[in-house]
Amino acid sequence: MFAIGVWLLQLQPALPPLSWAVWLASGPVLILLLYGGGGLRRGIRRGVILAMALTCGFAWAAWLAHIRMADALPGEWEGRDIMLAGVVATLPQSYERSVRFEFDVQQVLTPEAQVPRRIVLSWWGAGGRDGAAVQLPEVHPGERWQFTVRLKRPHGLANPHGFDYEAWLLERGIRATGYVRPKGGHRRLDMQVQSPAYTVERIREQLRNRIQAALGIAPAAGVIAALVMGDQRAIPPEQWQVFTRTGVNHLMSISGLHVTMLSGLAFALVNFGWRRSTRLTLALPAVKAAAVAGLLAALAYALLAGFAVPAQRTVFMLAVVAAALWMGRATAAREVLALALLVVLLIDPWSVLAAGFWLSFGAVAIIMLVTVNRLQPAHWLVAWARVQWAVTLALVPVLLALFQQVSLISPLANALAIPLVSLVVVPLALAGVVLPFDGVLHVSQWLMNGCVIVLEWLSALPDAAWEQHAPPAWTVVVALTGTIWLLLPRGFPARWIGAIAFLPLLLIAPAPPPEGALRLTVLDVGQGLSVVAQTRNHALLFDTGPAFGPTADSGNRVIVPFLRASGIRRLDALVLSHDDIDHTGGALSVVQTVPVGAMLSSLPDLDPLLLIGPEERRCAAGQVWHWDGVIFEMLYPDRASRESAALKDNERSCVLKITTAAGSVLIPADIERHGERTLLATAADQLQADVLIAPHQGSRTSSSEAFVRAVAPRTVIFPVGYRNAFRHPHLDVVERYRQLGSTLHFTDRHGAVLLQFGDGDITLARQRESRRRYWLDPPVHDAFADEFPGVW
């Protein structure tokens, strides 16, 4: 119940007052003291104890949340130069043009500036022009630096079924992000700051350097780095996709299984050696010494991983077992798990927001269900198969709820990978980084690469993974209940009924719009555009947002997860409005993942997307098609604009209008003055629309007064990035729409905007309001910034 209370706090749209939280926690305690002993019946007392645990969990999480939320960057200090002194707190991560690291602020040197205690900084490299290599800055954990930085408050993309970056930062205590100013007079103040945490990070860096020097660009070098010191970013995205499709991704990091295996190995070795010495055995029983050694080995290995939730859970469980061995007391398995759960939540109440928390503790609970308190121990092979079946079955509802996919070949892939990785590869890799020669590391990499080759073959099998819509929450609860029913001991009557509980999870899909209706979603992709239009039997994607880096873009981070969770398995049309990375950055990921029927674009003739995508047609004024009673018509570009070499790419943007009986929406992409004038001359009577996606994100070169009056939108949506460098939307443009009486929405402030056209009306919802959480409160702006989102 303590865990439920912690979880309930994380669902709150606003934090309760601390005084109220303290009263809530103390109320049940007072009742228990007042009516303790025989004053209450046993059942009532148990109910009061459960209520006390729930409210204490809620109050504990609220208290820590108040403390962490108070450590904030004031809105007036966003985007301003601030001079800081502090320590590089974590292992820096190198990217193509920058180095990123967490930074512990020790001193704020700019007068009156307020900065959170821990921030994340990016330091951009120099060079990179005319084919020259980028020279990345060199920073190491534990170094004290003086930087001039620009910061912003935590802000992530807000989309249905999307990753909550702001919650991820909150859990890690990171309350601002920013970058080092290139000419800010930065300098190293100390080579090393003594601290246990910094020492661990320096060891992790040394291990990473050791692996890189020994293995270089070997195929499985990234996996070895992840297994040894928790550097999961070293694994290429292509391999992560293979591991996900085969259901072994939980093994490709320092997981609880690896920690347990290493702890057991240390226990066995110390126990074996200790018993051989009479003096040592008389001084301390071998089993106690082995318990300490096993716990220390587990703790050291978990620290190398950054002490993530699975490793925490394992270390705390092993600590309880070690304590029981020292005290000579038997401890029930459920008590071990419950104590580990309590310690994790006391240290990190935000861990309930992470998928790994539920997967980790859920898997252990299921293993206990099918193995503990059995009347007759089964053969080891039967027990292993039973555990594999139970865990696979129990994780299906959780994986479908969290990721909308589950591997169908996971049992076969894990049967190969678990013993090979945990019992062979991990011990060899750990020995290899300690030994002064590279041979053992090469052997571990060779074995791991062989495993990867087999997993790639399994991943390529047809229907290796099941993908579906995001199931309703109640179907997940029903399926989990059915799982427990199915896994009850043999002889329990009607266990087969549990299988029926899975049917709602698999069969109840999101209802499509009715005939003649339209469901339109303007996704929050930062500074760029991506719009999903869905009718009863068809779906269209207009633009694919920006690319975020070499391996991350709007396609794989936002669009594909949204389509999968929404039950959209196929795109009947993909419109790429023009050649601009803010609009086509995610196209490759979309085309490679989702079947696309047709493509319309204004891309150049030799654009690579035209070669790998479906057959393409040019956007042209006059194109019209009807889907399920909804009219789609392309208003621009005309032939002259499309073929003019003198025009910018923006002026060749596809302009799409969608019309339903309830209203219409106009999507003009990035057209500017020329495009608007052409539309006013050739399609003035078709421009009026109820909803307008602001041209060119509201730049001053678009949304002319004549165009705004011709469209006369009731609702205007600005798809802009938080504190973007282009100063979009421009204040004059915003004021122009306000004077017209339009209702304005901004994806940086409001997240994704969802519109329903049907039943003679248009309804609108904004993601940051539909899914309010206390950490998602909009940033505090000064008077000017409230009118204008600012510059980043």
Side-chain angles (χ1 to χ4, degrees), residues 244-268:
T244 301
R245 282 182 60 83
T246 53
V248 301
N249 48 331
H250 64 100
L251 292 175
M252 303 309 163
S253 61
I254 302 181
S255 67
L257 177 61
H258 301 333
V259 174
T260 303
M261 292 293 186
L262 185 65
S263 176
L265 179 62
F267 180 95

Side-chain angles (χ1 to χ4, degrees), residues 86-94 99-104 118 123 137-145 147 188 190-209 229:
V87 182
V88 178
T90 58
L91 181 66
Q93 297 292 333
S94 297
V99 175
R100 185 177 174 90
F101 52 89
E102 295 180 21
F103 190 71
D104 285 341
R118 174 162 285 202
W123 194 354
E138 187 174 343
V139 290
H140 304 281
E143 293 180 339
R144 180 182 284 116
W145 282 81
F147 292 130
R188 185 187 288 111
D190 284 311
M191 293 296 294
Q192 295 293 340
V193 176
Q194 297 304 318
S195 165
Y198 302 150
T199 300
V200 170
E201 292 300 319
R202 288 196 294 269
I203 294 173
R204 296 182 71 215
E205 183 182 47
Q206 293 169 3
L207 294 178
R208 183 176 68 177
N209 295 340
M229 36 75 63

